[in-house]
Amino acid sequence: MSEGFLLSRLLVRFDAPDDVLLTNLSAVALTPDGSLWLGADEGTGLERLSPIESHVYGHHQHFELSNFIPLNNPEEEIDIEGLDYFDSYLWLVGSHSLKRKKPKGKDVNSDIKRLTEIKAEKNRYLLARIPVKNGQLLPSFSTAEPNNQEFRAAVLETSPDGNQLIEALKTDEHLGLFISTPLPSKENGLDIEGLAVYENKIFLGLRGPVLRGFAIILELEVEEKEPGVLILKNIGENGKPYRKHFLELKGLGIRELCVQGEDLIILAGPTMDLDGIMKVYRWKNALAQSSNTISYFNSEALEFLFDLPFCLDSDHAEGLELFNSLGQPGLLVVYDSPNSKRIVSEREILTDIFRLSNFSK
């Protein structure tokens, strides 16, 4: 076991007490204007914070996503699990997962029945991009001449069962069974939790399913079918609209991704609803792949970097972003179910920055 070296901590300050934001952060991204963007796995919006002083972010602003992209039900959570920025767009992805109802601990018969109930929520089937300019989300904007380029919000084309990606995966030889059988998230069902974007490549990391110890990353490319609607390009084998990359993470699923140079940094953790060690890996030359791949544990392509400190029943690492700190390359980590020691006040929480070698983004 090699625990990560903690460089420093970042204080995040919201504008008002908000228990949901303090305890349910699931995604993070930085934009060139210096803004820190956060997503939670509850709710239907994004949060923007700006640097106030060294290692302190505040001036909180909330953005409701229904103002920029269509949602099936504005009252239903999106379950945002990944954020990334590239070329004037903030990209986000929902979990694409089913959920099983939780027992409430009040009535035995009711709780047993609740464990039979599996629900699909349409807002979770979301892959979207939203233009961002000077720290503001916008439905669209255009650059000045001579380029005269237009940037506009768009979502992956929807379907009765979710979206185009779900429809494509229904017949996949590895993942189709997990679509046709209603397996919820945290039960090795389909659950997208990682997102990384670079140029025309979109990488989605799956928390589940894990197949015989191998986690899965889906690689996509999209094009605009019509204003506001994206469709998948057929980039995979036999005309499939995705590539599959299998990584031997010793039974762990993927909890987040970020691009560093030509590599992907991978945050890995338990697939099931249990506590366990969270690990950070490097998948080398990920951006250069042009076909399906498989990478074995301790191979040349897959490098273990470090473990995150283990905290029983708390500090579930969810968000990942490159972040320089104290003159050194670092990796910013935000947490769901944070340890009480992180909560500074009703509206302030501490996140971690770990040292990261070979920084080349």
Side-chain angles (χ1 to χ4, degrees), residues 284-299:
K284 298 178 182 179
N285 298 313
L287 302 187
Q289 306 307 314
S290 59
S291 62
N292 295 343
T293 65
I294 186 166
S295 300
Y296 301 97
F297 185 73
N298 282 338
S299 67

Side-chain angles (χ1 to χ4, degrees), residues 105-123:
K106 296 179 180 179
D107 179 80
V108 171
N109 291 329
S110 174
D111 281 349
I112 291 173
K113 184 177 187 304
R114 287 178 69 85
L115 285 173
T116 69
E117 298 174 3
I118 299 172
K119 185 178 180 181
E121 295 179 344
K122 290 293 184 68
N123 281 356

